[in-house]
Amino acid sequence: MASTEAVITQRKFFKKTARGKVVKVLRERYLRDDVACGIQGCRECSTEIPEPLPFSGSFEHQLYPNGHYLLPDTNVFLAQMDLIESSLFTPPIILLQTVIEEVRHRSLPLYNRLKALTKSEDKSIWIFYNEYRSETAIVREENEIPNDRNDRGIRVATAWYNTHISLTRPPIRGQKQTPHPTVVLMTEDAANREKAAKSGVTSISVRKYVEGMKDANLLLDLLAADGSQEIEPTKAASGRQALYPDYLPISTLLAGVKAGELHQGHFNANQYNYLEGSVPVPAFDKPILLVGRENMNRVVQGDIVVVEVFPEKEWKAPADEVVDQEATLKNDDAEDSGEEGDENGEEVFVKESRALSESSSQKPPSERQPTGRVVGVVKRNWRAYVCHIDNTSLTSTLTTSLSTQTVFATPVSRLLPRIRLRTRQAPILLNQKILVTIDRWDATSRYPEGHFVRALGRVESKEAEQESLLLEFEVPYRPFGKAILDCLPPEGDQWVVPPKGEFDIQNIWRDREDLRDVIVCSIDPPGCQDIDDALHAKLLPNGNIEAGVHIADVSHFVLPDNPMDSEAAARGTTVYLVDNRIDMLPSLLGTNLCSLRPFVERLAFSSIWELTPDAEIVSVRFTKSVIKPKAAFTYEEAQIRKDDPNLQDDLTNSIRLLNSLAIKLKAKRMAAGALNLASPEVKIHLDSAESSDPIDVEQKELRETNSLVEEFMLLANISVAKKIEESFPQTAVLRRHLPPPKTNFEKLQDILRKTKGLSLDVSSSGALAASLDICVDANEPAFNTLVRIMATRCMLSAEYFSSGSVAKNTFGHYGLASKIYTHFTSPIRRYADVLVHRQLSAAIGFTPLHATLHSKSHVERVLDVVNRRHRMAQMAGRASVEFYVGLALKARGEQAKVRGEADVKEEAFVIRTFRNGVGVFVSKLGIEGLVTFKRDTQFDAENYTITVPGAKEDVKISVFEKVIVRIEVEKDKNTQRGKVKMTLVEPVDSSAL
């Protein structure tokens, strides 16, 4: 008997350690008979349960008139989470411990979504710990695989629930017996349903259940395409040949990568040519080129793929032609795409083959790069994408039609393929932005298949555009939950720095320096509310200068490992859009308690230097402090104050001292080889704070005071980096910018040499900086900025890293020409800075370092998320500017029409030539555009020129040439998406081409 009990109360499994050793794990589990069922008013279980399941379940399903509860198995959550999350899907759900553990094991993102769902107020979900209740705990049988053991456990729990309900609701003498509600097992596994039926358990498939619901027409669209075996295949899916080769088994892929025969990397789609993509891998200087649908083999932007490289004689150069997906595939039928023998398919095949053969014309060997094909996918990057329904793919546009149609959803991003979608709501969804998830991509289909998640709103409505932008770049924008807000000081906005002495109950003044009398000021962009840095400078009696950078002490309020810290780590950064800001921290901290407002006492972390008048560092010290800023200037206000000879007060002289030091600090950086790169920054003028309608766009003006702040922030970041790396050599949070491979600059060097006779030396950052300085055109001041923008695009991205994870000789920051660097100066809006504050605080002995920051693997994991969020935030910001530039151009065009003037025309520079068009950059608006030509042109790839027919004679256009373009914003007639359209006006009118 004792041995039987031991079997039931022990769980045995095998686990692989980080070093590859397999160990047996034996876990004791104590079985109980008091694990509550969670149903309201249950006589046997505890009645004091928060938010129990309703006593009679739900009556809102035609198959279960006596009420029911739903018990889904693991695969339902893995495949149909969009359905379960829908606000229209509200049956009471019993969630088993077995299911939760299996979801966690199979997919961490889905597990996190499931966890959030259990806390949702509009769902009725009870977590039942079936592995700990004596009647429902089961033991794995001999030769039983884990999946079958879990399925059996789920069936046992469902049977127990139904028995439990009937036993706890006995008939009452003299009263009519009311039928009991049923616990229904929801599973997509037909074999599991068969076994359930044999043991008397009621079960149902997801599709059949949804078909019987009140809002079936809306909910059926949420089903994942591969979610049920009962879905009828489209006629296109039956009896047709494969368009793509099958993937190799994952074991073969990993062995091939390990042996160096195959290569692994992220797939990058080509925005100009949908039939081309590339995969950067460590083994080659240039990315591996993938040419054609078959070689790209069903991968989408961001997938981690495994590539086989062809022999060198088969290597190719990237195409020179713009190949537009929408134009090439506009006649494709969503229902038939890929069916053997269908005419559209043949037409698409011919068009794509022609595009590939034209683009693979002879090119010099120097331009060729490794070329290959995708043989497998390690990790899919599939998620919900923002799309529009292509109205030409609808068979019926009647809004009353509820028939299922197969239609195309066109993603907003040019980097993604069209998605085939089956929906009953197609006519209603026209002219709307919608969210679509990819479910599968069969070898027999030209397109991936997906399902509708939800509508975001009408196309071009600012609300829909803004939400779609946040979703497209995966920006977490949900409101901060109660658990997070509970971490804030209970005094709320009444919190103040306590007076020194007996009233300082929390001991806030312990080891803090009192800098309230120091003349500190902040200098920021107009309208800045999250002021996280302030500065001061004063002359010392020995002739040197004391300069200080004071940063908001965010780590005082955001404590390690609490809900607010976890949320900040997940968000990684504040995201700035043109008319909105998605905060990393609740606004009470970001724009109030941590914001260094003038005349208010605030907690700070100060970095204070003694510098010679020549800006040589004599000493530096770091201290927690209390400051009381004397002013908050905009860059313009600080500049005016500095330049006003009549002002000789301490504050103004402090700005002048800082400025004189900043000029010398910058000169030293430049002499060391720092790069002065450029990015196109524009300023959007909004109509008013309330309307947020853009009325115009102009380039941002950079003043001396911009540079002043930048230099001192760089100095603080470098000084702090040295200190934390010295104290924590294994886990210091640093930031590096690796030198770009010299091959990245080959094309830009060639263009400059052939079009302008200029050379670009990329042997070091200093050599590059020097040669960028002499890339000038006397007749065109904007030329140098343009070259700097193009040089920036040849660079690698900077990244956060843990000091113990990489070799010390790779710590350097190439762009800043600094041997070591970090981010310390913006903890309100960057999570990396919060970690740096904690490390610096420990380095100066102010607080002990939290255990997580002693763990190299933990720091690496957190920084992986932060790096990704940082990239996404930058892209979201740029996309927001682009959207508003489009709105401003549209408004400008409409005003011009009212005044009877011509369309909007702007000067632009040619930055790229194609066989059938030119890429242009409009510096005044900071946007790029594509001018395409339908008629024949002469393209000289060697010399980067294109010759087009003019009114009197042919006109040659080359890269870097200044042109005038007409800019319009037109609505795509299929997707209803507003897009900027550019045509040449000078030197030739391309509207006739």
Side-chain angles (χ1 to χ4, degrees):
M1 178 67 187
S3 64
T4 312
E5 281 181 8
V7 168
I8 293 173
T9 59
Q10 283 179 352
R11 288 185 72 190
K12 180 178 74 175
F13 58 92
F14 295 92
K15 184 182 175 187
K16 198 179 239 186
T17 67
R19 292 187 175 176
K21 191 178 171 188
V22 176
V23 292
K24 183 164 82 171
V25 180
L26 207 60
R27 283 211 180 129
E28 285 285 336
R29 59 173 174 172
Y30 297 93
L31 302 184
R32 317 160 51 138
D33 56 8
D34 62 346
V35 177
C37 68
I39 295 171
Q40 191 178 27
C42 177
R43 289 170 24 167
E44 195 178 298
C45 301
S46 166
T47 51
E48 294 171 19
I49 296 170
E51 299 174 28
L53 299 173
F55 180 77
S56 302
S58 166
F59 294 102
E60 292 188 0
H61 200 287
Q62 57 197 43
L63 293 177
Y64 311 108
N66 301 322
H68 75 291
Y69 305 94
L70 207 55
L71 194 151
D73 74 356
T74 307
N75 285 325
V76 172
F77 290 105
L78 291 174
Q80 307 291 358
M81 192 62 91
D82 290 326
L83 170 75
I84 307 287
E85 286 176 331
S86 169
S87 57
L88 300 174
F89 191 84
T90 53
I93 292 173
I94 296 163
L95 178 56
L96 298 184
Q97 175 192 359
T98 304
V99 171
I100 294 175
E101 287 176 0
E102 211 176 349
V103 170
R104 182 178 190 168
H105 176 68
R106 299 269 294 277
S107 169
L108 203 56
L110 285 171
Y111 168 72
N112 288 329
R113 284 169 71 180
L114 180 56
K115 240 176 25 176
L117 209 57
T118 60
K119 296 171 186 167
S120 172
E121 290 175 9
D122 59 351
K123 298 282 179 189
S124 180
I125 298 176
W126 177 258
I127 298 173
F128 179 63
Y129 291 90
N130 61 307
E131 301 284 0
Y132 295 126
R133 176 123 191 170
S134 51
E135 299 98 323
T136 56
I138 64 161
V139 180
R140 189 168 151 194
E141 293 172 352
E142 206 174 334
N143 299 325
E144 187 178 39
I145 63 171
N147 191 50
D148 289 348
R149 180 253 177 219
N150 290 340
D151 284 349
R152 184 163 60 84
I154 292 166
R155 291 195 300 274
V156 166
T158 312
W160 175 82
Y161 254 103
N162 282 311
T163 308
H164 179 74
I165 289 170
S166 61
L167 290 176
T168 55
R169 304 183 190 189
I172 299 169
R173 190 180 295 167
Q175 288 186 15
K176 188 184 173 188
Q177 174 69 38
T178 54
H180 301 139
T182 310
V183 176
V184 181
L185 169 62
M186 180 187 265
T187 176
E188 295 289 69
D189 185 341
N192 201 10
R193 290 200 297 273
E194 207 174 296
K195 287 175 185 171
K198 281 180 185 170
S199 57
V201 170
T202 305
S203 67
I204 194 167
S205 73
V206 178
R207 178 166 286 271
K208 198 164 182 188
Y209 182 85
V210 172
E211 282 170 348
M213 291 184 75
K214 186 175 66 179
D215 294 302
N217 285 330
L218 300 173
L219 288 168
L220 281 168
D221 278 359
L222 298 177
L223 293 188
D226 57 349
S228 170
Q229 309 305 313
E230 298 164 22
I231 300 177
E232 287 295 315
T234 61
K235 64 178 180 175
S238 51
R240 63 186 189 199
Q241 64 185 27
L243 298 170
Y244 303 98
D246 285 335
Y247 295 141
L248 297 178
I250 194 78
S251 56
T252 311
L253 296 176
L254 298 177
V257 171
K258 198 171 182 181
E261 292 162 7
L262 301 175
H263 305 274
Q264 182 178 314
H266 285 83
F267 172 73
N268 293 321
N270 183 334
Q271 62 170 327
Y272 296 113
N273 181 351
Y274 79 98
L275 294 173
E276 243 182 42
S278 61
V279 180
V281 297
F284 298 100
D285 284 343
K286 290 184 178 181
I288 298 171
L289 183 67
L290 307 174
V291 180
R293 191 183 281 283
E294 197 175 315
N295 291 330
M296 289 196 285
N297 199 1
R298 296 170 286 157
V299 295
V300 303
Q301 176 73 11
D303 282 353
I304 299 175
V305 301
V306 174
V307 182
E308 174 189 54
V309 175
F310 298 147
E312 199 166 334
K313 63 176 186 294
E314 294 178 38
W315 290 8
K316 296 180 178 178
D320 290 316
E321 186 157 9
V322 177
V323 184
D324 184 49
Q325 179 178 215
E326 287 177 34
T328 312
L329 304 173
K330 65 182 174 190
N331 296 326
D332 215 357
D333 186 337
E335 187 68 54
D336 297 337
S337 60
E339 188 179 359
E340 201 172 352
D342 91 87
E343 288 177 22
N344 287 333
E346 296 298 318
E347 184 190 328
V348 167
F349 179 75
V350 170
K351 278 186 178 177
E352 291 187 344
S353 302
R354 192 187 304 133
L356 287 173
S357 64
E358 284 175 5
S359 65
S360 63
S361 56
Q362 287 301 307
K363 282 204 174 183
S366 62
E367 285 198 29
R368 292 186 190 165
Q369 59 193 70
T371 306
R373 68 186 184 103
V374 170
V375 292
V377 177
V378 175
K379 190 180 178 189
R380 287 288 191 190
N381 187 38
W382 292 351
R383 55 182 176 82
Y385 298 107
V386 181
C387 301
H388 309 82
I389 296 285
D390 184 339
N391 66 12
T392 59
S393 64
L394 266 68
T395 49
S396 167
T397 53
L398 293 172
T399 49
T400 51
S401 166
L402 289 175
S403 61
T404 302
Q405 298 186 52
T406 302
V407 296
F408 283 131
T410 305
V412 169
S413 170
R414 290 174 62 92
L415 301 173
L416 297 165
R418 295 202 284 185
I419 301 167
R420 238 165 56 160
L421 190 68
R422 300 187 76 205
T423 173
R424 287 170 163 75
Q425 302 177 67
I428 303 161
L429 297 176
L430 285 176
N431 306 330
Q432 297 231 37
K433 286 210 157 184
I434 62 170
L435 214 52
V436 173
T437 295
I438 295 178
D439 299 317
R440 69 176 185 217
W441 194 341
D442 294 333
T444 52
S445 173
R446 245 193 314 279
Y447 305 99
E449 303 211 9
H451 68 270
F452 165 76
V453 178
R454 65 186 174 95
L456 302 175
R458 288 197 65 77
V459 167
E460 289 189 324
S461 75
K462 270 210 284 290
E463 296 72 29
E465 292 291 348
Q466 196 165 74
E467 190 180 3
S468 75
L469 194 144
L470 296 171
L471 288 162
E472 191 62 30
F473 297 104
E474 300 175 69
V475 175
Y477 61 99
R478 59 192 174 276
F480 292 104
K482 183 177 183 299
I484 295 162
L485 299 175
D486 285 348
C487 300
L488 294 167
E491 302 91 340
D493 58 7
Q494 299 302 305
W495 183 93
V496 290
V497 177
K500 275 184 184 176
E502 60 188 274
F503 295 105
D504 183 14
I505 300 160
Q506 293 178 330
N507 211 9
I508 285 172
W509 279 92
R510 175 189 65 83
D511 296 339
R512 276 187 190 272
E513 216 168 302
D514 188 348
L515 302 178
R516 289 176 295 181
D517 293 334
V518 176
I519 297 169
V520 171
C521 70
S522 61
I523 306 174
D524 289 283
C528 179
Q529 293 177 302
D530 48 352
I531 304 171
D532 43 22
D533 56 82
L535 303 131
H536 89 270
K538 64 180 181 185
L539 278 169
L540 295 171
N542 64 0
N544 285 342
I545 300 160
E546 178 186 280
V549 166
H550 311 275
I551 306 299
D553 188 5
V554 172
S555 61
H556 172 83
F557 297 97
V558 183
L559 302 176
D561 235 7
N562 70 12
M564 182 156 65
D565 182 51
S566 302
E567 181 68 15
R571 293 188 179 215
T573 179
T574 292
V575 181
Y576 293 91
L577 307 179
V578 169
D579 68 339
N580 193 12
R581 192 184 66 234
I582 313 299
D583 290 322
M584 180 182 85
L585 294 170
S587 60
L588 176 67
L589 292 186
T591 60
N592 190 341
L593 306 188
C594 290
S595 188
L596 305 181
R597 296 170 167 183
F599 313 114
V600 181
E601 290 180 7
R602 287 287 178 246
L603 303 182
F605 209 152
S606 300
S607 177
I608 300 168
W609 300 267
E610 182 181 338
L611 297 151
T612 67
D614 288 328
E616 295 290 344
I617 298 172
V618 176
S619 64
V620 60
R621 63 189 177 88
F622 307 101
T623 177
K624 292 266 187 156
S625 61
V626 177
I627 62 169
K628 189 176 182 180
K630 305 297 180 273
F633 297 120
T634 63
Y635 290 118
E636 188 178 11
E637 287 165 352
Q639 187 71 43
I640 291 167
R641 194 173 185 115
K642 180 193 84 69
D643 294 340
D644 187 344
N646 299 317
L647 291 174
Q648 293 300 327
D649 57 281
D650 290 344
L651 190 52
T652 308
N653 286 328
S654 171
I655 295 171
R656 287 179 187 139
L657 266 179
L658 287 165
N659 191 59
S660 68
L661 289 169
I663 291 167
K664 288 163 188 167
L665 287 168
K666 184 170 185 176
K668 286 179 199 293
R669 273 198 316 111
M670 291 302 164
L675 293 169
N676 183 14
L677 296 169
S679 61
E681 287 204 83
V682 294
K683 185 176 173 184
I684 312 281
H685 289 287
L686 299 177
D687 197 6
S688 68
E690 287 75 37
S691 80
S692 77
D693 285 326
I695 51 171
D696 211 348
V697 188
E698 68 170 6
Q699 276 181 290
K700 275 189 183 175
E701 187 184 341
L702 293 177
R703 296 178 172 82
E704 216 177 10
T705 44
N706 289 77
S707 182
L708 180 162
V709 173
E710 184 186 3
E711 288 308 318
F712 276 97
M713 297 306 118
L714 293 176
L715 185 65
N717 288 335
I718 292 166
S719 300
V720 170
K722 287 174 182 170
K723 180 71 177 176
I724 61 172
E725 197 273 330
E726 185 184 289
S727 303
F728 306 107
Q730 286 301 302
T731 57
V733 173
L734 302 175
R735 187 165 175 82
R736 67 176 180 173
H737 182 210
L738 291 169
K742 293 185 174 47
T743 51
N744 285 21
F745 286 96
E746 281 175 1
K747 194 152 194 172
L748 180 57
Q749 286 172 306
D750 198 42
I751 294 171
L752 282 166
R753 190 167 52 250
K754 286 174 178 170
T755 60
K756 296 283 185 181
L758 295 167
S759 65
L760 203 59
D761 183 352
V762 296
S763 56
S764 68
S765 62
L768 177 58
S771 54
L772 280 172
D773 286 342
I774 55 172
C775 278
V776 291
D777 182 336
N779 303 320
E780 192 42 71
F783 170 72
N784 184 259
T785 306
L786 184 64
V787 174
R788 289 180 193 275
I789 289 169
M790 291 171 80
T792 306
R793 293 177 184 184
C794 300
M795 298 286 175
L796 300 174
S797 297
E799 61 180 5
Y800 297 108
F801 69 100
S802 170
S803 57
S805 305
V806 303
K808 196 158 184 175
N809 61 358
T810 66
F811 279 18
H813 196 295
Y814 179 81
L816 298 171
S818 177
K819 286 179 184 169
I820 194 167
Y821 191 65
T822 192
H823 271 165
F824 162 76
T825 54
S826 295
I828 291 175
R829 60 186 178 88
R830 292 188 305 231
Y831 188 69
D833 301 51
V834 177
L835 298 180
V836 169
H837 274 232
R838 287 175 187 158
Q839 290 183 333
L840 183 63
S841 180
I844 62 170
F846 187 84
T847 48
L849 190 64
H850 191 263
T852 54
L853 286 176
H854 280 299
S855 161
K856 194 161 71 171
S857 60
H858 174 83
V859 174
E860 282 171 359
R861 267 199 314 277
V862 171
L863 294 182
D864 276 348
V865 174
V866 172
N867 279 324
R868 191 163 176 278
R869 291 291 186 211
H870 197 75
R871 282 194 302 274
M872 289 299 200
Q874 286 177 318
M875 290 193 279
R878 283 198 287 267
S880 174
V881 169
E882 230 169 82
F883 172 65
Y884 272 89
V885 167
L887 287 184
L889 287 171
K890 194 176 173 188
R892 208 193 270 183
E894 284 166 2
Q895 288 162 8
K897 275 180 191 166
V898 170
R899 293 195 298 267
E901 294 171 8
D903 297 321
V904 177
K905 292 175 189 172
E906 292 288 355
E907 284 184 349
F909 287 94
V910 175
I911 55 169
R912 194 165 173 183
T913 51
F914 296 97
R915 192 174 299 282
N916 58 342
V918 291
V920 297
F921 175 69
V922 184
S923 54
K924 189 177 172 187
L925 303 175
I927 58 168
E928 279 180 45
L930 195 59
V931 178
T932 52
F933 309 125
K934 299 278 190 295
R935 282 174 54 186
D936 285 347
T937 57
Q938 292 170 289
F939 176 61
D940 182 352
E942 277 281 286
N943 295 302
Y944 309 100
T945 65
I946 183 170
T947 305
V948 294
K952 294 176 182 171
E953 58 183 357
D954 288 356
V955 177
K956 187 187 279 187
I957 301 169
S958 69
V959 173
F960 291 130
E961 195 166 312
K962 190 194 272 190
V963 294
I964 292 176
V965 290
R966 180 185 296 110
I967 307 173
E968 304 161 84
V969 178
E970 65 172 18
K971 204 180 254 190
D972 185 291
K973 56 182 180 293
N974 290 339
T975 63
Q976 297 299 303
R977 186 194 321 163
K979 60 180 184 183
V980 174
K981 181 190 172 188
M982 293 191 191
T983 46
L984 281 183
V985 179
E986 287 177 24
V988 63
D989 190 338
S990 70
S991 53
L993 303 175

